[in-house]
Amino acid sequence: ITGGRDGLRIDNSVDNLWIDKNRIHHVAERGIAGRVTNGDALCITQNEIHDTRQSTAANVEGKGIELGGGSSWVVKNSVIAENHVHHTGTVLNKGIGIDIGLGSWGNRIVANHVHHTPSGSPAIFINDALGRSPNIFERNLVHDSGDNGIQAEGGGAIVRSNLLVGPFGNKAFDSSHNVGTVSDLTVIHNTILYSYGAGLKAWTGAPGQTNLVFANNAVYSQICGNLQGYTIWLPAGWTPGPAITIEGN
């Protein structure tokens, strides 16, 4: 599938849809765009998506796979697995690899290979499930992102058994933004290899934050130029509390 605006666009209310073994490339905007009002039991598997955002128009997205996007576009109980997403946003540097939208829930993002996203575009972007069943991100291989490897802006997610290998334009794993929305986020059994490992600056223990867990991860850091890298970056003045568990790393 090549040419056109989005490679494959899913609209309105849809369920029990399987998208398998396609190659989607050189499209004006996104590879697979799932902006559905009620998406249920979608399966997106074993696709190769690359060279998105060929358009030079302003305010154009070049995401590889986008499911949901705000409270009016919700995807649930779906699987994104074994896809190869790479070289997104190739014209004007705007192309997250895999983006699960705000309010989407109960999805599994498993064993995908995501790399070469541009500056300012994380390989995998995690939004808030808004109190519903968590999205699960597991066994994904992420490397060579122009921004963060995996970025978690909200809660309601389990991030486990992923392999994140630099270089990255920012951090390997990042949860440094939106202090008010980060909650119910479990990050366990991941392997992280990069000078800037896990940025947890939003994990302040502020009112409303609950069930933040970073445990049993292997994080390897090294010298980065003339600066010392870090394995885990916690906010200034951080002290252990009931909302946050950091152990066994």
Side-chain angles (χ1 to χ4, degrees), residues 174-225:
D174 185 41
S175 184
S176 298
H177 310 279
N178 296 336
V179 170
T181 62
V182 175
S183 190
D184 298 309
L185 177 60
T186 298
V187 185
I188 55 173
H189 306 304
N190 300 283
T191 300
I192 299 172
L193 297 91
Y194 186 56
S195 302
Y196 298 97
L200 308 180
K201 291 176 64 180
W203 294 28
T204 63
Q209 288 192 351
T210 58
N211 301 322
L212 295 172
V213 177
F214 190 89
N216 300 324
N217 301 286
V219 186
Y220 300 90
S221 180
Q222 63 189 63
I223 297 293
C224 181

Short mmCIF file of all heavy atoms in Angstrom, two decimals, residues 174-225:
data_model
loop_
_atom_site.label_atom_id
_atom_site.label_comp_id
_atom_site.label_asym_id
_atom_site.label_seq_id
_atom_site.Cartn_x
_atom_site.Cartn_y
_atom_site.Cartn_z
N ASP A 174 10.91 7.37 29.25
CA ASP A 174 10.66 8.70 29.80
C ASP A 174 9.26 8.79 30.40
O ASP A 174 8.27 8.46 29.75
CB ASP A 174 10.80 9.77 28.72
CG ASP A 174 10.67 11.18 29.30
OD1 ASP A 174 11.21 11.42 30.39
OD2 ASP A 174 10.03 12.03 28.67
N SER A 175 9.22 9.25 31.64
CA SER A 175 7.95 9.58 32.30
C SER A 175 8.20 10.85 33.11
O SER A 175 8.13 10.86 34.33
CB SER A 175 7.48 8.43 33.20
OG SER A 175 6.22 8.71 33.76
N SER A 176 8.52 11.91 32.39
CA SER A 176 8.97 13.16 33.03
C SER A 176 7.98 14.30 32.89
O SER A 176 8.24 15.39 33.35
CB SER A 176 10.31 13.60 32.41
OG SER A 176 11.30 12.64 32.64
N HIS A 177 6.84 14.06 32.26
CA HIS A 177 5.89 15.14 31.97
C HIS A 177 4.56 14.87 32.67
O HIS A 177 4.28 13.77 33.12
CB HIS A 177 5.67 15.27 30.46
CG HIS A 177 6.95 15.34 29.68
ND1 HIS A 177 7.66 16.50 29.54
CD2 HIS A 177 7.65 14.39 29.03
CE1 HIS A 177 8.74 16.27 28.82
NE2 HIS A 177 8.76 14.99 28.50
N ASN A 178 3.75 15.88 32.75
CA ASN A 178 2.36 15.74 33.21
C ASN A 178 2.25 15.06 34.57
O ASN A 178 1.67 13.99 34.71
CB ASN A 178 1.53 14.98 32.18
CG ASN A 178 1.42 15.73 30.87
OD1 ASN A 178 1.55 16.95 30.83
ND2 ASN A 178 1.17 15.01 29.79
N VAL A 179 2.80 15.72 35.56
CA VAL A 179 2.76 15.21 36.93
C VAL A 179 1.33 14.88 37.36
O VAL A 179 1.07 13.90 38.05
CB VAL A 179 3.40 16.23 37.90
CG1 VAL A 179 3.16 15.82 39.35
CG2 VAL A 179 4.89 16.37 37.64
N GLY A 180 0.39 15.67 36.90
CA GLY A 180 -0.99 15.49 37.34
C GLY A 180 -1.69 14.29 36.77
O GLY A 180 -2.75 13.90 37.26
N THR A 181 -1.14 13.66 35.72
CA THR A 181 -1.84 12.54 35.09
C THR A 181 -1.12 11.21 35.24
O THR A 181 -1.68 10.17 34.90
CB THR A 181 -2.05 12.79 33.58
OG1 THR A 181 -0.77 12.93 32.95
CG2 THR A 181 -2.87 14.05 33.36
N VAL A 182 0.11 11.19 35.70
CA VAL A 182 0.85 9.94 35.80
C VAL A 182 0.40 9.18 37.04
O VAL A 182 0.58 9.63 38.17
CB VAL A 182 2.37 10.19 35.84
CG1 VAL A 182 3.12 8.90 36.06
CG2 VAL A 182 2.83 10.84 34.55
N SER A 183 -0.20 8.03 36.81
CA SER A 183 -0.69 7.21 37.91
C SER A 183 -0.96 5.81 37.36
O SER A 183 -1.16 5.62 36.16
CB SER A 183 -1.98 7.81 38.49
OG SER A 183 -2.33 7.16 39.69
N ASP A 184 -0.91 4.80 38.25
CA ASP A 184 -1.20 3.42 37.83
C ASP A 184 -0.34 3.01 36.63
O ASP A 184 -0.84 2.53 35.60
CB ASP A 184 -2.69 3.25 37.49
CG ASP A 184 -3.57 3.52 38.70
OD1 ASP A 184 -3.31 2.93 39.76
OD2 ASP A 184 -4.49 4.34 38.59
N LEU A 185 0.96 3.19 36.79
CA LEU A 185 1.93 2.85 35.74
C LEU A 185 2.95 1.88 36.31
O LEU A 185 3.64 2.19 37.28
CB LEU A 185 2.61 4.12 35.24
CG LEU A 185 3.71 3.96 34.18
CD1 LEU A 185 3.17 3.30 32.93
CD2 LEU A 185 4.31 5.33 33.85
N THR A 186 3.03 0.70 35.72
CA THR A 186 3.95 -0.35 36.18
C THR A 186 4.99 -0.61 35.11
O THR A 186 4.64 -0.94 33.96
CB THR A 186 3.17 -1.65 36.48
OG1 THR A 186 2.23 -1.41 37.53
CG2 THR A 186 4.13 -2.75 36.91
N VAL A 187 6.26 -0.46 35.48
CA VAL A 187 7.38 -0.65 34.55
C VAL A 187 8.28 -1.72 35.15
O VAL A 187 9.00 -1.47 36.12
CB VAL A 187 8.14 0.68 34.34
CG1 VAL A 187 9.23 0.50 33.29
CG2 VAL A 187 7.19 1.80 33.94
N ILE A 188 8.25 -2.92 34.57
CA ILE A 188 8.95 -4.05 35.19
C ILE A 188 9.64 -4.93 34.14
O ILE A 188 9.18 -5.04 33.01
CB ILE A 188 7.99 -4.94 36.03
CG1 ILE A 188 6.81 -5.41 35.18
CG2 ILE A 188 7.50 -4.19 37.25
CD1 ILE A 188 5.90 -6.42 35.89
N HIS A 189 10.76 -5.52 34.54
CA HIS A 189 11.45 -6.55 33.76
C HIS A 189 11.91 -6.06 32.37
O HIS A 189 11.98 -6.85 31.43
CB HIS A 189 10.58 -7.81 33.60
CG HIS A 189 10.09 -8.38 34.90
ND1 HIS A 189 10.93 -8.74 35.92
CD2 HIS A 189 8.82 -8.62 35.32
CE1 HIS A 189 10.21 -9.20 36.94
NE2 HIS A 189 8.93 -9.13 36.61
N ASN A 190 12.20 -4.78 32.25
CA ASN A 190 12.71 -4.25 31.00
C ASN A 190 14.23 -4.21 31.01
O ASN A 190 14.85 -4.11 32.08
CB ASN A 190 12.17 -2.84 30.76
CG ASN A 190 10.66 -2.81 30.69
OD1 ASN A 190 10.06 -3.19 29.69
ND2 ASN A 190 10.01 -2.37 31.78
N THR A 191 14.83 -4.25 29.83
CA THR A 191 16.28 -4.08 29.69
C THR A 191 16.52 -2.80 28.91
O THR A 191 16.00 -2.62 27.80
CB THR A 191 16.91 -5.27 28.96
OG1 THR A 191 16.65 -6.47 29.70
CG2 THR A 191 18.41 -5.08 28.82
N ILE A 192 17.30 -1.89 29.51
CA ILE A 192 17.53 -0.57 28.95
C ILE A 192 19.03 -0.35 28.83
O ILE A 192 19.76 -0.46 29.82
CB ILE A 192 16.91 0.52 29.85
CG1 ILE A 192 15.39 0.33 29.94
CG2 ILE A 192 17.26 1.91 29.36
CD1 ILE A 192 14.71 1.24 30.95
N LEU A 193 19.49 -0.06 27.62
CA LEU A 193 20.89 0.20 27.38
C LEU A 193 21.05 1.54 26.68
O LEU A 193 20.81 1.65 25.48
CB LEU A 193 21.52 -0.91 26.52
CG LEU A 193 21.56 -2.32 27.09
CD1 LEU A 193 20.32 -3.10 26.70
CD2 LEU A 193 22.80 -3.06 26.59
N TYR A 194 21.40 2.56 27.45
CA TYR A 194 21.67 3.87 26.87
C TYR A 194 22.20 4.78 27.97
O TYR A 194 21.95 4.57 29.16
CB TYR A 194 20.41 4.48 26.24
CG TYR A 194 20.69 5.77 25.51
CD1 TYR A 194 21.64 5.83 24.50
CD2 TYR A 194 20.01 6.94 25.85
CE1 TYR A 194 21.91 7.03 23.85
CE2 TYR A 194 20.27 8.13 25.19
CZ TYR A 194 21.22 8.17 24.19
OH TYR A 194 21.50 9.34 23.54
N SER A 195 22.90 5.83 27.56
CA SER A 195 23.50 6.76 28.53
C SER A 195 22.45 7.42 29.40
O SER A 195 22.69 7.68 30.58
CB SER A 195 24.31 7.83 27.78
OG SER A 195 25.30 7.23 26.99
N TYR A 196 21.29 7.73 28.83
CA TYR A 196 20.20 8.32 29.60
C TYR A 196 19.10 7.27 29.70
O TYR A 196 18.33 7.06 28.76
CB TYR A 196 19.71 9.60 28.93
CG TYR A 196 20.79 10.65 28.86
CD1 TYR A 196 21.55 10.83 27.71
CD2 TYR A 196 21.08 11.44 29.97
CE1 TYR A 196 22.56 11.77 27.67
CE2 TYR A 196 22.09 12.38 29.94
CZ TYR A 196 22.83 12.54 28.78
OH TYR A 196 23.83 13.48 28.74
N GLY A 197 19.04 6.61 30.85
CA GLY A 197 18.22 5.43 31.00
C GLY A 197 16.75 5.71 31.19
O GLY A 197 15.98 5.79 30.24
N ALA A 198 16.32 5.84 32.44
CA ALA A 198 14.90 6.01 32.76
C ALA A 198 14.70 7.36 33.45
O ALA A 198 15.19 7.58 34.56
CB ALA A 198 14.42 4.89 33.68
N GLY A 199 13.97 8.24 32.80
CA GLY A 199 13.65 9.54 33.38
C GLY A 199 12.29 9.48 34.07
O GLY A 199 11.25 9.37 33.39
N LEU A 200 12.28 9.54 35.38
CA LEU A 200 11.04 9.44 36.16
C LEU A 200 10.75 10.75 36.89
O LEU A 200 10.25 10.76 38.01
CB LEU A 200 11.16 8.29 37.18
CG LEU A 200 11.57 6.93 36.62
CD1 LEU A 200 11.63 5.89 37.75
CD2 LEU A 200 10.64 6.46 35.52
N LYS A 201 11.02 11.86 36.24
CA LYS A 201 10.91 13.16 36.91
C LYS A 201 9.48 13.53 37.28
O LYS A 201 9.26 14.39 38.13
CB LYS A 201 11.52 14.24 36.04
CG LYS A 201 13.04 14.15 35.92
CD LYS A 201 13.57 15.19 34.97
CE LYS A 201 13.33 16.60 35.47
NZ LYS A 201 13.86 17.62 34.54
N ALA A 202 8.49 12.90 36.63
CA ALA A 202 7.10 13.20 36.98
C ALA A 202 6.62 12.40 38.19
O ALA A 202 5.53 12.64 38.71
CB ALA A 202 6.18 12.93 35.80
N TRP A 203 7.44 11.46 38.67
CA TRP A 203 7.05 10.61 39.79
C TRP A 203 7.37 11.33 41.10
O TRP A 203 8.29 10.99 41.83
CB TRP A 203 7.76 9.27 39.71
CG TRP A 203 7.37 8.43 38.53
CD1 TRP A 203 6.92 8.86 37.32
CD2 TRP A 203 7.42 7.00 38.45
NE1 TRP A 203 6.68 7.79 36.50
CE2 TRP A 203 6.98 6.65 37.16
CE3 TRP A 203 7.81 6.00 39.34
CZ2 TRP A 203 6.90 5.31 36.74
CZ3 TRP A 203 7.74 4.68 38.92
CH2 TRP A 203 7.28 4.34 37.64
N THR A 204 6.58 12.31 41.41
CA THR A 204 6.85 13.16 42.57
C THR A 204 6.10 12.73 43.83
O THR A 204 6.39 13.22 44.91
CB THR A 204 6.45 14.62 42.25
OG1 THR A 204 5.03 14.66 41.99
CG2 THR A 204 7.20 15.13 41.03
N GLY A 205 5.13 11.85 43.68
CA GLY A 205 4.26 11.53 44.81
C GLY A 205 3.21 12.59 45.08
O GLY A 205 2.65 12.66 46.17
N ALA A 206 2.96 13.42 44.07
CA ALA A 206 1.98 14.50 44.22
C ALA A 206 0.59 13.93 44.48
O ALA A 206 0.31 12.77 44.18
CB ALA A 206 1.96 15.36 42.95
N PRO A 207 -0.31 14.73 45.05
CA PRO A 207 -1.68 14.25 45.27
C PRO A 207 -2.30 13.71 43.99
O PRO A 207 -2.20 14.32 42.93
CB PRO A 207 -2.41 15.51 45.75
CG PRO A 207 -1.34 16.34 46.38
CD PRO A 207 -0.11 16.10 45.56
N GLY A 208 -2.91 12.55 44.10
CA GLY A 208 -3.52 11.90 42.95
C GLY A 208 -2.65 10.84 42.31
O GLY A 208 -3.16 9.99 41.56
N GLN A 209 -1.36 10.85 42.57
CA GLN A 209 -0.49 9.82 42.03
C GLN A 209 -0.59 8.56 42.89
O GLN A 209 -0.42 8.62 44.11
CB GLN A 209 0.96 10.29 41.97
CG GLN A 209 1.22 11.33 40.91
CD GLN A 209 2.72 11.57 40.69
OE1 GLN A 209 3.57 11.09 41.43
NE2 GLN A 209 3.04 12.34 39.66
N THR A 210 -0.85 7.42 42.25
CA THR A 210 -0.93 6.14 42.95
C THR A 210 -0.34 5.05 42.07
O THR A 210 -0.32 5.15 40.84
CB THR A 210 -2.39 5.76 43.27
OG1 THR A 210 -3.15 5.70 42.05
CG2 THR A 210 -3.03 6.78 44.20
N ASN A 211 0.16 4.01 42.73
CA ASN A 211 0.58 2.78 42.04
C ASN A 211 1.57 3.03 40.91
O ASN A 211 1.37 2.58 39.77
CB ASN A 211 -0.65 2.03 41.50
CG ASN A 211 -1.63 1.66 42.58
OD1 ASN A 211 -1.24 1.29 43.68
ND2 ASN A 211 -2.91 1.76 42.28
N LEU A 212 2.64 3.74 41.22
CA LEU A 212 3.74 3.92 40.28
C LEU A 212 4.86 2.95 40.66
O LEU A 212 5.39 3.01 41.77
CB LEU A 212 4.25 5.36 40.30
CG LEU A 212 3.26 6.42 39.82
CD1 LEU A 212 3.80 7.82 40.08
CD2 LEU A 212 2.92 6.23 38.35
N VAL A 213 5.18 2.03 39.76
CA VAL A 213 6.14 0.96 40.09
C VAL A 213 7.22 0.90 39.01
O VAL A 213 6.91 0.79 37.81
CB VAL A 213 5.44 -0.41 40.17
CG1 VAL A 213 6.46 -1.51 40.45
CG2 VAL A 213 4.36 -0.40 41.24
N PHE A 214 8.47 0.97 39.43
CA PHE A 214 9.62 0.75 38.56
C PHE A 214 10.48 -0.29 39.25
O PHE A 214 11.20 0.00 40.21
CB PHE A 214 10.39 2.05 38.35
CG PHE A 214 11.45 1.97 37.27
CD1 PHE A 214 11.12 2.25 35.95
CD2 PHE A 214 12.75 1.62 37.57
CE1 PHE A 214 12.09 2.17 34.95
CE2 PHE A 214 13.72 1.53 36.58
CZ PHE A 214 13.38 1.82 35.27
N ALA A 215 10.39 -1.54 38.79
CA ALA A 215 10.98 -2.64 39.56
C ALA A 215 11.55 -3.72 38.64
O ALA A 215 11.01 -3.99 37.56
CB ALA A 215 9.94 -3.26 40.49
N ASN A 216 12.65 -4.31 39.11
CA ASN A 216 13.26 -5.47 38.46
C ASN A 216 13.64 -5.20 37.00
O ASN A 216 13.55 -6.09 36.14
CB ASN A 216 12.32 -6.69 38.54
CG ASN A 216 12.02 -7.09 39.96
OD1 ASN A 216 12.88 -7.00 40.84
ND2 ASN A 216 10.79 -7.50 40.22
N ASN A 217 14.08 -3.98 36.73
CA ASN A 217 14.58 -3.63 35.41
C ASN A 217 16.11 -3.66 35.41
O ASN A 217 16.75 -3.38 36.43
CB ASN A 217 14.11 -2.22 35.02
CG ASN A 217 12.60 -2.11 35.00
OD1 ASN A 217 11.94 -2.60 34.10
ND2 ASN A 217 12.04 -1.46 36.02
N ALA A 218 16.70 -3.98 34.27
CA ALA A 218 18.15 -3.89 34.10
C ALA A 218 18.45 -2.64 33.28
O ALA A 218 18.06 -2.55 32.11
CB ALA A 218 18.68 -5.13 33.39
N VAL A 219 19.11 -1.67 33.92
CA VAL A 219 19.36 -0.38 33.27
C VAL A 219 20.87 -0.15 33.23
O VAL A 219 21.51 -0.06 34.27
CB VAL A 219 18.67 0.78 34.02
CG1 VAL A 219 18.84 2.08 33.24
CG2 VAL A 219 17.19 0.47 34.24
N TYR A 220 21.41 -0.06 32.03
CA TYR A 220 22.85 0.11 31.84
C TYR A 220 23.10 1.50 31.26
O TYR A 220 22.59 1.84 30.19
CB TYR A 220 23.39 -0.96 30.88
CG TYR A 220 23.18 -2.37 31.35
CD1 TYR A 220 22.02 -3.06 31.00
CD2 TYR A 220 24.13 -3.02 32.14
CE1 TYR A 220 21.81 -4.37 31.41
CE2 TYR A 220 23.92 -4.33 32.57
CZ TYR A 220 22.75 -5.00 32.20
OH TYR A 220 22.55 -6.28 32.61
N SER A 221 23.94 2.28 31.94
CA SER A 221 24.28 3.61 31.48
C SER A 221 25.78 3.69 31.23
O SER A 221 26.55 2.83 31.68
CB SER A 221 23.86 4.66 32.51
OG SER A 221 24.17 5.96 32.06
N GLN A 222 26.19 4.74 30.52
CA GLN A 222 27.61 4.91 30.22
C GLN A 222 27.91 6.38 30.03
O GLN A 222 27.01 7.22 30.01
CB GLN A 222 27.98 4.12 28.96
CG GLN A 222 27.26 4.63 27.71
CD GLN A 222 27.45 3.74 26.51
OE1 GLN A 222 27.05 2.60 26.53
NE2 GLN A 222 28.06 4.27 25.46
N ILE A 223 29.19 6.70 29.89
CA ILE A 223 29.59 8.07 29.63
C ILE A 223 28.99 8.54 28.30
O ILE A 223 29.01 7.83 27.30
CB ILE A 223 31.12 8.18 29.59
CG1 ILE A 223 31.71 7.81 30.96
CG2 ILE A 223 31.55 9.59 29.19
CD1 ILE A 223 31.37 8.77 32.06
N CYS A 224 28.46 9.76 28.29
CA CYS A 224 27.90 10.33 27.07
C CYS A 224 28.65 11.62 26.77
O CYS A 224 28.41 12.66 27.40
CB CYS A 224 26.40 10.61 27.25
SG CYS A 224 25.60 11.29 25.79
N GLY A 225 29.58 11.57 25.84
CA GLY A 225 30.40 12.74 25.54
C GLY A 225 31.19 13.15 26.77
O GLY A 225 31.85 12.34 27.40
#
